C-alpha cells in the first residue's frame, strides 16, 4: 500500500529514496469493508489517515439521529478528525468506509517526526493544511450558491464519488433536496 502514498507524494514534492524509506517505516495499514467505521464519535482520533483505495465519508449526527455528511475522502485524500487529533478530545464525527477502503495510518508522533526530519514532507503538509482551511471556508459559504452551482463544484472536486455513494449522502453534504440533486446529476452526466 505504501506505493500509493509514495506515488501521491512524488507529485507533490521532491523526495529522496531515503525519505521514502523513513516514511514507510512510520506507516501502518488498515483495510475496511464497506460500512465499517474508521472512526466512531466519542473516540479520540490518533492518526493521519491517507486513502489508498476506496471511499471514506465523514459525518456528524444531529440530535434527531440524522447524519450530516461533512467530508468525502476518495483515493489520495486524507481523512479523520483533525480537531480530536490535535486536542486529544473525543471526536465529534464518524468516518465510515463507503466502499471497501484501504488506509495508511500515521500516528501524530510519527507525523511530527516526519515533519522535523523530512523538509519536503513538512512543506507539503503545511501547504495541504492551508488549502484545507481555505476549502472549509468555501464550504461554509456554499449555502449562498445555487443548487446547480453546488453540484457543479462537487462534481469538479469529487468526480468519482457519485458512482460510489448514495445521493442522500451527497445531498446531505451539499445541503440540498435529494430529488433536486438527482435531477441535476442526470443533467450533468
Amino acid at each position: 500500500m505504501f506505493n500509493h502514498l509514495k506515488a501521491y507524494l512524488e507529485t507533490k514534492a521532491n523526495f529522496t529514496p531515503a525519505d521514502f524509506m523513513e516514511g514507510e517505516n512510520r506507516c501502518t495499514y488498515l483495510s475496511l469493508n464497506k460500512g465499517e467505521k474508521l472512526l466512531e464519535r466519542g473516540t479520540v482520533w490518533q492518526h493521519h489517515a491517507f486513502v489508498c483505495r476506496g471511499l471514506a465519508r465523514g459525518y456528524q449526527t444531529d440530535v434527531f439521529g440524522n447524519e450530516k455528511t461533512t467530508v468525502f475522502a476518495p483515493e489520495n485524500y486524507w481523512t479523520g478528525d483533525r480537531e480530536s487529533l490535535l486536542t486529544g478530545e473525543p471526536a465529534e464525527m464518524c468516518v465510515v468506509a463507503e466502499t471497501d477502503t484501504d488506509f495508511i495510518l500515521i500516528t501524530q508522533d510519527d507525523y511530527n517526526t516526519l515533519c522535523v526530519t523530512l523538509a519536503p514532507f513538512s512543506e507539503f503538509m503545511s501547504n495541504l493544511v492551508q488549502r484545507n482551511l481555505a476549502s472549509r471556508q468555501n464550504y461554509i459559504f456554499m449555502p449562498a450558491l445555487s443548487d446547480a452551482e453546488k453540484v457543479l463544484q462537487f462534481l469538479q472536486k469529487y468526480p468519482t464519488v457519485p458512482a460510489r455513494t448514495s445521493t442522500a449522502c451527497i445531498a446531505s453534504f451539499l445541503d440540498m433536496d435529494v430529488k433536486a440533486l438527482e435531477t441535476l446529476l442526470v443533467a450533468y452526466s
Side-chain angles (χ1 to χ4, degrees):
M1 270 193 265
F2 184 76
N3 285 336
H4 291 279
L5 180 57
K6 179 182 176 191
Y8 168 79
L9 290 173
E10 285 175 329
T11 67
K12 307 300 181 187
N14 294 319
F15 292 90
T16 67
D19 292 341
F20 285 124
M21 284 179 54
E22 164 109 16
E24 186 172 15
N25 289 335
R26 306 236 176 231
C27 295
T28 58
Y29 307 95
L30 177 67
S31 294
L32 295 179
N33 295 319
K34 178 180 179 177
E36 288 186 302
K37 289 187 178 172
L38 175 68
L39 173 62
E40 183 73 55
R41 183 179 186 268
T43 304
V44 176
W45 180 240
Q46 300 180 8
H47 296 90
H48 296 262
F50 178 79
V51 179
C52 295
R53 178 187 65 92
L55 174 66
R57 176 177 66 92
Y59 66 91
Q60 293 182 318
T61 306
D62 67 18
V63 294
F64 302 108
N66 300 314
E67 291 180 7
K68 168 65 175 153
T69 299
T70 56
V71 67
F72 287 101
E75 291 87 0
N76 298 330
Y77 273 67
W78 295 85
T79 192
D81 188 318
R82 188 159 185 79
E83 184 175 348
S84 177
L85 179 69
L86 296 175
T87 65
E89 296 295 318
E92 291 296 323
M93 68 184 295
C94 295
V95 178
V96 64
E98 288 291 294
T99 64
D100 293 350
T101 307
D102 295 329
F103 299 93
I104 290 178
L105 304 176
I106 303 172
T107 66
Q108 181 64 23
D109 286 344
D110 284 335
Y111 173 87
N112 290 339
T113 298
L114 290 172
C115 285
V116 169
T117 61
L118 304 178
F121 185 80
S122 178
E123 291 170 18
F124 165 67
M125 292 308 286
S126 177
N127 288 333
L128 182 64
V129 168
Q130 294 304 315
R131 287 195 315 266
N132 282 339
L133 289 172
S135 177
R136 296 309 290 169
Q137 182 178 350
N138 290 338
Y139 179 76
I140 291 167
F141 294 113
M142 191 170 32
L145 300 176
S146 71
D147 285 352
E149 291 169 320
K150 289 178 190 179
V151 172
L152 282 173
Q153 281 188 5
F154 181 83
L155 292 172
Q156 288 172 349
K157 184 171 183 176
Y158 301 111
T160 65
V161 170
R164 301 193 287 173
T165 193
S166 72
T167 52
C169 290
I170 298 169
S172 168
F173 178 77
L174 296 175
D175 198 27
M176 61 186 292
D177 179 73
V178 173
K179 294 285 186 201
L181 173 62
E182 289 171 346
T183 300
L184 288 167
L185 287 173
V186 168
Y188 295 133
S189 62

